[in-house]
Amino acid sequence: MRPIEDSYRHKGLRKKLVETVRSKGITDEKVLEAIGNVPRHFFLDSAFDEVAYEDRAFPIGEGQTISQPYTVAYQTQLLEIKTFEKVLEIGTGSAYQAVILAAMGAQVYTIERQKKLFEQNKSFPFLKKYPSIKFFYGDGYEGLPTYAPFDKVLITAAAPEIPEKLIQQLKVKGMMVIPVGSGSVQRMMRISKLENGALKEEVFDNFSFVPMVEGKKG
Ligand code: SAH
């Protein structure tokens, strides 16, 4: 069961987490504010209550994880989110990252390939606070052609290569943030679609994500 109460203790732990993430190099105050406002323990089973504000990834079932807060902050900072931007997220998982984006004013479209994880978020009352998030069950490799183009695309699973269909769903001047690599470690990359349609690729630090897998799992 996911907890629903936010105590002073949780708020205090969240403040400390913000300082930890800041000390590791995150400078975007809007990102830090969102990490400070969103109760991360809500997204984990109550068994994780004591550790929910440690800067670590945790299991969320089905062999998947909620990303480490530093990683969430790192990807979000690279995306340079502005209010009302349309953001496509691949890999809803716990929905924590989706809520961080929504807390920053983005219109979020998030896709999860595992039915159980998708269903879990349907019965998660806290998400009612964020009507700007739309949840989809499907294969993220296909994106959401009906809702494209997007200002930003965020991949929260390790992609062996940059998915071409998702580049197509990116607006001109849009950006994709994606961990690329098929081994146990991936390179964080940012792909920008320039005005002449060309792509600019930037490479950042190494991270370790669960793999982006093709097809849906029922
Ligand atoms: N953003 C999540 C992180 C979840 S881990 C969070 O904040 O908790 C990555 C998630 O990506 C897993 O839930 C996994 O099932 C999902 N995933 C992997 N491949 C996918 C694909 N092709 N389409 C959609 N989701 C995918």
Side-chain angles (χ1 to χ4, degrees):
M1 280 290 286
R2 285 168 159 181
I4 51 165
E5 257 179 77
D6 194 23
S7 68
Y8 281 108
R9 187 180 70 85
H10 290 120
K11 289 192 176 82
L13 291 170
R14 229 162 27 243
K15 275 198 178 152
K16 279 195 186 155
L17 175 62
V18 168
E19 292 321 310
T20 302
V21 168
R22 191 197 296 278
S23 73
K24 291 182 179 176
I26 302 300
T27 52
D28 184 331
E29 290 300 329
K30 273 180 67 188
V31 174
L32 293 165
E33 196 183 316
I35 300 274
N37 285 337
V38 176
R40 188 178 188 235
H41 67 289
F42 283 6
F43 298 79
L44 287 159
D45 188 272
S46 52
F48 293 95
D49 193 73
E50 287 299 314
V51 291
Y53 291 98
E54 290 181 10
D55 191 21
R56 289 166 53 192
F58 290 108
I60 55 169
E62 309 308 304
Q64 306 304 314
T65 55
I66 182 174
S67 300
Q68 185 182 340
Y70 171 67
T71 307
V72 171
Y74 193 100
Q75 289 198 294
T76 310
Q77 176 164 287
L78 284 180
L79 280 173
E80 298 177 0
I81 297 295
K82 292 172 200 76
T83 314
F84 301 127
E85 277 187 336
K86 263 172 82 181
V87 182
L88 173 65
E89 182 200 17
I90 310 301
T92 313
S94 69
Y96 178 70
Q97 171 74 75
V99 167
I100 292 288
L101 293 167
M104 293 174 68
Q107 305 285 325
V108 184
Y109 297 76
T110 183
I111 313 179
E112 174 54 56
R113 70 177 285 275
Q114 297 220 32
K115 188 95 186 239
K116 272 200 185 155
L117 295 175
F118 171 76
E119 295 287 343
Q120 204 172 41
N121 287 323
K122 274 195 186 165
S123 52
F124 183 14
F126 178 69
L127 295 178
K128 293 206 169 60
K129 270 185 72 178
Y130 297 94
S132 59
I133 309 177
K134 307 266 181 289
F135 293 87
F136 298 86
Y137 167 54
D139 180 2
Y141 276 102
E142 299 299 320
L144 292 170
T146 325
Y147 297 91
F150 298 95
D151 296 290
K152 307 281 161 71
V153 175
L154 172 60
I155 320 282
T156 69
E161 50 206 58
I162 297 158
E164 177 53 37
K165 282 186 187 166
L166 301 185
I167 292 286
Q168 282 168 13
Q169 293 177 29
L170 201 54
K171 280 187 195 172
V172 168
K173 292 194 198 168
M175 295 195 302
M176 171 188 290
V177 169
I178 174 167
V180 183
S182 42
S184 58
V185 172
Q186 303 88 41
R187 281 272 161 130
M188 193 64 75
M189 293 186 67
R190 182 166 63 185
I191 323 293
S192 307
K193 199 179 258 191
L194 307 179
E195 258 169 307
N196 63 4
L199 301 177
K200 179 176 105 180
E201 295 188 0
E202 298 167 278
V203 180
F204 298 91
D205 295 325
N206 286 346
F207 290 85
S208 198
F209 284 80
V210 295
M212 182 168 173
V213 180
E214 272 183 60
K216 288 193 279 190
K217 186 165 180 257

